[in-house]
């Protein structure tokens, strides 16, 4: 007979009650790996636009700050809000979420045989202070056929993903040669860096 065993949760990285403001199911799953007892913040839609004067590498941080702004008047003293944004930077162009399947195909074709950078910006906000940081992962993307690109888009519907792909999905197995940096960052949340920042906060 199998004995009942208590589930041992990891120690919380901070004294705050963590809130996550994100519609991304991947970010929710990732945060759960280091903060099992966080809560979702009530939804606020923000327009993800940025001034042309901002350096491309700083765009994710800027957008994570913009996402945090609507919650500032709602936070309680014991709460800490996490907001994040991820972009793919390829050949001096920011690739966001594709607008349709044709756009997704074009993005993936441009990535084939090339190296690109995935940058995630994160903002931590409490009633007392706010800090922002970003993490960059270099991804070496191999060659895949037009057929494989079409199959991936039809099966996995990556229109909600920056750069039109998810590294944790089938395409990550067949197309990505190697990465330099945090794997989870490519999924949408740099867990190691985030954990350290939460401890410092």
């Amino acid at each position: 007979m199998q004995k009942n065993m208590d589930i041992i949760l990891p120690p919380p990285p901070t004294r705050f009650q963590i809130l996550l403001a994100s519609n991304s199911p991947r970010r929710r799953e990732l945060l759960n790996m280091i903060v099992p007892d966080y809560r979702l913040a009530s939804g606020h839609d923000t327009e993800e636009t940025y001034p042309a004067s901002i350096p491309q590498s700083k765009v994710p941080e800027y957008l994570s700050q913009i996402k945090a702004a609507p919650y500032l008047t709602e936070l309680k003293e014991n709460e800490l809000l996490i907001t994040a944004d991820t972009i793919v930077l390829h050949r001096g162009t920011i690739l966001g979420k594709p607008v349709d399947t044709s756009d997704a195909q074009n993005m993936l074709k441009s990535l084939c045989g090339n190296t690109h950078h995935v940058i995630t910006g994160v903002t931590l906000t409490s009633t007392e202070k706010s800090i922002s940081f970003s993490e960059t992962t270099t991804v070496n993307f191999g060659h895949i056929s037009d057929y494989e690109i079409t199959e991936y888009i039809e099966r996995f519907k990556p229109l909600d993903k920056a750069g039109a792909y998810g590294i944790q999905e089938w395409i990550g197995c067949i197309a990505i040669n190697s990465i330099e940096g945090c794997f989870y960052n490519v999924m949408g949340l740099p867990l190691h860096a985030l954990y350290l920042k939460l401890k410092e906060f």
Side-chain angles (χ1 to χ4, degrees), residues 8-153:
I8 301 176
L9 297 177
T14 176
R15 63 180 175 82
F16 290 93
Q17 169 64 56
I18 303 297
L19 303 178
L20 175 67
S22 177
N23 293 321
S24 167
R26 291 169 300 282
R27 285 204 183 103
R28 296 177 182 183
E29 292 172 5
L30 289 171
L31 183 59
N32 189 64
M33 295 173 69
I34 61 171
V35 185
D37 58 348
Y38 76 89
R39 293 190 291 109
L40 291 175
S42 57
H44 284 289
D45 292 329
T46 55
E47 188 176 356
E48 297 182 14
T49 58
Y50 52 89
S53 58
I54 295 180
Q56 291 177 319
S57 61
K58 293 296 183 181
V59 166
E61 278 187 48
Y62 175 83
L63 292 177
S64 71
Q65 293 166 359
I66 293 298
K67 290 179 178 180
Y71 297 90
L72 295 180
T73 59
E74 303 173 5
L75 284 176
K76 299 176 182 178
E77 288 187 2
N78 66 328
E79 293 178 336
L80 193 161
L81 177 73
I82 299 175
T83 50
D85 191 84
T86 301
I87 65 166
V88 170
L89 184 57
H90 178 50
R91 291 178 171 176
T93 300
I94 292 177
L95 304 182
K97 299 172 184 176
V99 296
D100 53 30
T101 56
S102 177
D103 192 26
Q105 287 177 330
N106 290 333
M107 285 186 183
L108 291 174
K109 286 180 181 179
S110 72
L111 295 179
C112 285
N114 293 298
T115 296
H116 63 271
H117 305 283
V118 178
I119 308 172
T120 299
V122 180
T123 294
L124 306 180
T125 306
S126 71
T127 57
E128 297 179 354
K129 64 178 180 178
S130 178
I131 65 169
S132 298
F133 66 95
S134 62
E135 189 85 2
T136 300
T137 302
T138 301
V139 181
N140 299 308
F141 208 95
H143 290 281
I144 56 176
S145 67
D146 290 349
Y147 170 78
E148 289 165 329
I149 289 174
T150 300
E151 281 292 299
Y152 170 69
I153 293 172

